[in-house]
Amino acid sequence: MSNQPGTDGDTALSVHVGRQPIWSAERRLVGYELLFRGGLGVSGSFATSQVIVNAFTEFGLAEIAGDRLCFINMTREFLTDELPLPFGPGQAVLEVLETIEVDEELIAGVRRRADQGYAIALDDFLLDTGHERLMGLADYVKIDILNTEPDECRRIAAACRAYPDISLLAEKVETEEHLALAGELGCGLLQGYLLGRPQVLSAQALSPSKFSRIQLMAALLKQDVEINEIVSLVTQDPALSFRLLRASNSVAAGVTNRVSSVHEAVVMLGIAQVRQWVALMALSDVFDSTEGPVDAALSRARMCQLVAAELDQPMDAAFTVGLLDRVADLIDVPSDELAGQLPLSSEVSAALADQTGGLGRVLRTVRAYESGDLDSIRATGIDPNRLTSAFLAAAGWSTNAIDALYSGSAPRQ
């Protein structure tokens, strides 16, 4: 998203929104913290505020976080009503940054925001800084587990227990020791690199609605996905549901009873075919039905699947690794960052993050072949001729799948 240069000579402004997942102690995704990024020609909190306004004008909370909580870093101007908030209360949680001076004006502003229905979070909270004056208005207190001494963390948690409406959120959780300390403190919410890295959303890379398509793909391609979960995921998207039914009925031509529900489609086509078919539809949406990127992603996914058979690795998981690794390349997002935002198994995540494990070996092999790295190809122990056969078979399969996608029929297996 960019502001085009105007007649007054202003330069273009690109707005980027970072999003880091927040989890419950039971590892359920409950929300995101938004981290604002912008190429600003001027400094100061007012300019930052304008970036926030632009971001929400373009994206909107629903696009960024769905129906989950949205923790939003606030400048003083928004908290004191100098600038209006570009969204209503509901799912928004307003974070009071530790760098904001707490005075009577700020306290009055935060109280007004709380009375308007906004939830309040105290970010990087420390005692004896003046921010404890806001504890009676806070719904969440965020404790920086990484940079705060454990004993000080315990002192903060003890002080918060005097306010039964406060929920504790442990942030910067980066190790298992941090996770254990968060449990000891009674933190019901968790955030940090151990659980999920930030992902930057921008118009130049990938819109939030398209990222939701990648999340759908990853969920559908999980090894242990069940029929009821597939039906639930697909029926949440009316457009995908319609396209699946259309494809299913093209297969069922001549059958007396037409397929009339997603459940019937899954039963008729089978879980494996529906998973790949709907994932293919979602992939097409990510790249606006442009065949080149779709073909590149499908070819790598299929080749990973075929190489996995040679290396005695799970073929479905290998398909997912290849697909998401190529998608990450195409949207210019590091594979480890993409993996941190998706519901993936530890084996798939490890393969995407640093190409370790059996699936990582599959991915290394395919990447080596694609780049013509003969030494790495020989190191795999696989006959290069077999890799050539896998490459050609993957290219043919991808072409057939794309033809089926754009013709509206189910893909050939």
Side-chain angles (χ1 to χ4, degrees):
M1 157 179 45
S2 298
N3 293 343
Q4 298 301 318
T7 57
D8 58 358
D10 290 342
T11 57
L13 173 65
S14 296
V15 180
H16 307 273
V17 180
R19 183 181 72 170
Q20 185 172 23
I22 294 173
W23 307 85
S24 70
E26 297 76 31
R27 304 301 189 278
R28 180 173 57 87
L29 182 63
V30 297
Y32 298 95
E33 178 182 357
L34 301 190
L35 310 167
F36 297 95
R37 302 289 185 263
L40 296 174
V42 294
S43 60
S45 60
F46 184 80
T48 303
S49 299
Q50 291 304 105
V51 172
I52 295 173
V53 173
N54 289 338
F56 281 101
T57 299
E58 293 294 332
F59 286 113
L61 285 188
E63 281 290 289
I64 291 174
D67 59 356
R68 296 182 174 90
L69 291 174
C70 220
F71 285 69
I72 305 163
N73 295 336
M74 287 288 107
T75 63
R76 183 183 183 91
E77 288 81 5
F78 279 120
L79 293 170
T80 58
D81 280 337
E82 184 176 333
L83 288 173
L85 288 174
F87 45 81
Q91 68 191 100
V93 180
L94 310 184
E95 291 200 24
V96 182
L97 300 178
E98 73 282 4
T99 54
I100 297 177
E101 180 186 357
V102 176
D103 54 22
E104 296 304 324
E105 181 186 27
L106 183 78
I107 293 172
V110 171
R111 179 173 289 108
R112 282 194 300 273
R113 291 305 191 196
D115 290 342
Q116 291 165 359
Y118 292 97
I120 305 297
L122 306 182
D123 188 42
D124 286 347
F125 182 76
L126 291 173
L127 294 169
D128 308 319
T129 62
H131 282 244
E132 63 270 16
R133 299 172 65 189
L134 296 171
M135 291 178 73
L137 300 172
D139 300 277
Y140 302 91
V141 164
K142 302 182 71 173
I143 302 177
D144 182 344
I145 294 284
L146 175 65
N147 298 307
T148 308
E149 290 295 327
D151 283 346
E152 183 61 19
C153 290
R154 296 183 183 99
R155 193 166 78 96
I156 294 170
C160 289
R161 282 194 282 272
Y163 299 87
D165 293 332
I166 286 179
S167 297
L168 290 180
L169 188 158
E171 58 181 338
K172 297 190 177 74
V173 177
E174 298 189 2
T175 66
E176 292 295 336
E177 289 75 16
H178 292 160
L179 197 60
L181 177 58
E184 176 193 334
L185 299 176
C187 296
L189 299 174
L190 306 166
Q191 177 185 0
Y193 283 7
L194 183 67
L195 304 163
R197 292 175 177 268
Q199 176 231 353
V200 177
L201 306 175
S202 69
Q204 293 88 343
L206 191 69
S207 72
S209 60
K210 289 182 179 180
F211 186 77
S212 70
R213 283 291 199 266
I214 296 177
Q215 291 176 310
L216 173 64
M217 281 193 301
L220 284 169
L221 293 173
K222 288 189 302 183
Q223 283 184 278
D224 57 352
V225 68
E226 297 182 354
I227 185 170
N228 289 337
E229 186 177 359
I230 292 175
V231 172
S232 175
L233 288 168
V234 175
T235 52
Q236 290 174 25
D237 190 315
L240 278 181
S241 298
F242 172 79
R243 291 159 70 191
L244 177 61
L245 293 176
R246 184 179 63 178
S248 302
N249 280 308
S250 75
V251 174
V255 177
T256 303
N257 296 321
R258 291 176 61 82
V259 175
S260 59
S261 71
V262 172
H263 188 276
E264 289 178 8
V266 176
V267 171
M268 187 190 77
L269 295 177
I271 288 180
Q273 188 170 358
V274 167
R275 286 168 65 193
Q276 286 196 0
W277 181 218
V278 177
L280 178 55
M281 292 177 182
L283 181 65
S284 174
D285 291 341
V286 169
F287 296 109
D288 296 320
S289 298
T290 303
E291 291 189 24
V294 175
D295 180 57
L298 288 179
S299 294
R300 180 175 291 178
R302 183 64 166 178
M303 188 172 179
C304 282
Q305 194 173 43
L306 297 175
V307 170
E310 296 282 337
L311 297 178
D312 196 27
Q313 293 298 316
M315 294 176 66
D316 285 350
F319 184 93
T320 302
V321 168
L323 185 70
L324 294 177
D325 183 66
R326 189 63 178 129
V327 167
D329 287 345
L330 292 167
I331 63 175
D332 197 26
V333 171
S335 293
D336 60 340
E337 290 188 16
L338 184 63
Q341 298 292 316
L342 300 173
L344 304 173
S345 68
S346 57
E347 294 80 7
V348 170
S349 292
L352 288 170
D354 49 23
Q355 297 182 23
T356 57
L359 293 174
R361 183 186 175 197
V362 170
L363 183 58
R364 291 197 309 273
T365 300
V366 171
R367 278 182 166 269
Y369 184 86
E370 290 177 347
S371 63
D373 184 348
L374 296 179
D375 290 338
S376 295
I377 292 172
R378 294 190 188 99
T380 67
I382 302 177
D383 182 349
N385 290 328
R386 295 187 69 83
L387 289 178
T388 299
S389 296
F391 176 81
L392 294 174
W397 181 89
S398 174
T399 298
N400 289 335
I402 290 173
D403 287 345
L405 172 68
Y406 297 123
S407 68
S409 61
R412 296 187 293 274
Q413 297 301 297

